[in-house]
Amino acid sequence: MARDKAAQLKALERQVRNAADLPLYAYRKENEYQAVVGEGSPEARVMFIGEAPGKQEALKGRPFVGSAGRMLDGLLESIGLARGDAYITNILKDRPPENRAPQPKEIEAYTPYLRKQIEIIQPRVIVTLGRFAMDFILGEFRMPEQGQKISDLHGRPLKAKASFGSLIVLPLFHPAFALYRRDQKETLEKDFQALKAYV
Ligand code: URA
């Protein structure tokens, strides 16, 4: 089963790398960037979903390896969750120019791959990092909290129902937000503790 999940994720990675119809594919190639599909354990109980790769991520082909990634690493350590035991991915699998916010058409084009990742991994907990991931997941699972703001929902474990069973969705602020704001960092650190019950 584990081999099966790993093989399915590998196949999905290949698909994303070769999907020339993706809206940011040409930009990826022009800049010699890599697609950032996701990484971690195929058996992860906890899945993190960010917004889109930044420059460091696109150069290395790995999610959350720049400054926001260092913040995430510290948060993971604070609850004793090894990075390799979780699965980390993003809404977009390519870096948008100048790190601008994902556009609706881009979200539409990339999220079928995210949907597939969720189906393969079947996590018990999905942690959304930032507003874009939260909005997508609330809509995806038709959750009653749809349309609510991240400032109201952050740090609250929410119940959701997926095709493979029930799961918890934990909306968090994006770690990049907390880089330069002490109050945001404290909020994120506090919110992160809610995850302890699930690791
Ligand atoms: N920000 C994100 O949302 N994702 C990354 O992978 C890096 C920074």
Side-chain angles (χ1 to χ4, degrees), residues 148-159:
Q148 290 191 45
K149 293 197 196 117
I150 190 164
S151 49
D152 293 326
L153 294 180
H154 72 93
R156 277 176 49 193
L158 309 171
K159 289 201 176 81

Side-chain angles (χ1 to χ4, degrees), residues 9 25 43 47-48 54 57 61 122 127 145 179-180 186 195:
L9 287 173
Y25 179 89
E43 294 296 316
M47 181 169 184
F48 291 86
E57 286 79 15
Q122 306 192 356
V127 182
E145 294 83 4
L179 281 174
Y180 309 103
E186 282 168 6
L195 262 181

